[in-house]
Amino acid sequence: MKTSWRTASLVATAASVLALTTACGQDNGTTPASAAQNVGATAPAGSPTTGAGTGSGNGYGADGNQSTGSPTPAAPAGKLTVAANADLGKVLTDGSGLTLYRFDNDTADPPKSNCDGDCAKTWPPVPADDATAGAGIDKALLGEVTRADGTKQLTVAGWPAYRYAKDVNAGEVNGQGVGGKWFALAPNGKKASLAALPGLSVHKDPKLGDIIVDKNGMTVYRFLKDKAWPKSVSNCTGACLEKWPAVGIVKPEDTQGVKKKGLMGFTRPDGVKQMTVNCWPIYTFSGDKAPGDTNGQGVGGTWYAVSPDGKPVGAPGN
């Protein structure tokens, strides 16, 4: 499911300290003594995840494995249509309603497909022969590229178009975000996406419920080893911070659905400015490849998605 945040600097007066202590002193959950800083930890078996962005990015399937068997003849593209998707906005589909995708390893200028062999079995190229533009599609954006095997593949604004083998029914978008390189096509050839999100907003996850996401729709996390106000402290540094990037500062007015209490920023010892929710430092996870992914949930027993009131979702005692 997109702007930067800034907060006003804290005023060093007794009155403001008292106000901030009141604002941030309500959620003082304890951290397990045995909880160690997580650097490069992997999610435990059974950790809830969502989204399709779990592939290895090698151009095969969602699990990163090569497809087997012979490719079946590609179905005609037919009259292209524009479908509405709740998470992605306007999505380009073929005449049967199947979602069309683009591949980050391809190029649009000049058009070139870099998905052949086993990749093309999982991501069948869309034939250019009979493709026509339906309502809401600029026919001038439709073109073709000659593949290595001599066949003509449909292009949209120069980007070669594909279907996904695991999309069976019209409207499915199981290929969205696979390997961090495959994305549904918008009618203009760009990656399908909704209008810009606020700096912080709330996303309803099917397993975790309401959780906070950043301006790119990526899940936001808390680290149980951190400390909140009166002295916000991040205990994720060095290699840990590479895996769990700090969320930059956001203006309170650039948030939606997030509780305003304790919504502020602070400067880390390394000079990085980091946002807090309910005065707790927040992060994203490098292991999340697409909006909606929650691969960081429960990692090491110390990393958890954040609820709209700043609490760690699913953490012990919450």
Side-chain angles (χ1 to χ4, degrees):
M1 245 157 240
K2 302 186 166 177
T3 57
S4 12
W5 308 314
R6 297 187 182 85
T7 56
S9 59
L10 300 179
V11 180
T13 65
S16 61
V17 170
L18 176 60
L20 290 173
T21 302
T22 301
C24 298
Q26 304 304 315
D27 180 14
N28 294 317
T30 57
T31 301
S34 59
Q37 178 172 323
N38 267 297
V39 179
T42 56
S47 294
T49 59
T50 62
T54 55
S56 63
N58 57 9
Y60 301 144
D63 54 5
N65 295 322
Q66 296 186 11
S67 303
T68 58
S70 301
T72 56
K79 188 175 184 178
L80 305 185
T81 58
V82 178
N85 181 276
D87 295 320
L88 300 176
K90 294 180 178 180
V91 173
L92 192 62
T93 63
D94 67 10
S96 299
L98 293 176
T99 301
L100 302 188
Y101 297 88
R102 51 178 276 183
F103 184 30
D104 276 359
N105 284 8
D106 289 347
T107 59
D109 186 18
K112 185 179 188 303
S113 168
N114 288 303
C115 178
D116 296 297
D118 287 310
C119 173
K121 296 174 185 176
T122 300
W123 302 91
V126 178
D129 302 339
D130 75 332
T132 58
I137 302 169
D138 183 355
K139 65 180 181 180
L141 296 179
L142 305 186
E144 63 181 38
V145 62
T146 302
R147 297 176 52 79
D149 60 7
T151 59
K152 303 291 186 180
Q153 181 177 0
L154 173 68
T155 62
V156 182
W159 287 98
Y162 306 82
R163 301 183 180 97
Y164 183 43
K166 294 187 179 181
D167 283 348
V168 178
N169 302 308
E172 291 183 338
V173 288
N174 298 312
Q176 175 67 13
V178 167
K181 295 184 178 181
W182 290 92
F183 300 93
L185 271 164
N188 60 2
K190 297 183 182 296
K191 299 174 185 178
S193 64
L194 290 171
L197 293 172
L200 288 178
S201 59
V202 177
H203 166 71
K204 186 173 289 296
D205 182 84
K207 293 183 179 179
L208 302 178
D210 287 345
I211 58 175
I212 297 176
V213 296
D214 71 1
K215 64 180 181 178
N216 298 312
M218 305 303 289
T219 302
V220 165
Y221 298 90
R222 259 184 59 179
F223 185 31
L224 295 190
K225 285 291 290 180
D226 286 349
K227 296 180 181 179
W229 184 263
K231 187 177 181 180
S232 296
V233 174
S234 168
N235 283 304
C236 179
T237 59
C240 173
L241 200 61
E242 294 179 6
K243 288 188 174 294
W244 303 88
V247 174
I249 295 186
V250 173
K251 292 180 179 179
E253 59 268 27
D254 189 26
T255 65
Q256 184 175 341
V258 181
K259 193 170 183 178
K260 295 295 193 290
K261 177 175 71 73
L263 194 60
M264 61 189 68
F266 73 103
T267 302
R268 300 164 49 89
D270 54 15
V272 173
K273 295 185 182 298
Q274 185 169 6
M275 190 64 185
T276 72
V277 175
N278 200 14
C279 302
W280 291 91
I282 56 174
Y283 312 79
T284 53
F285 179 43
S286 62
D288 287 344
K289 302 302 182 183
D293 283 355
T294 55
N295 299 317
Q297 176 68 6
V299 168
T302 54
W303 290 93
Y304 294 91
V306 183
S307 67
D309 61 0
K311 294 181 179 179
V313 177
N318 286 277

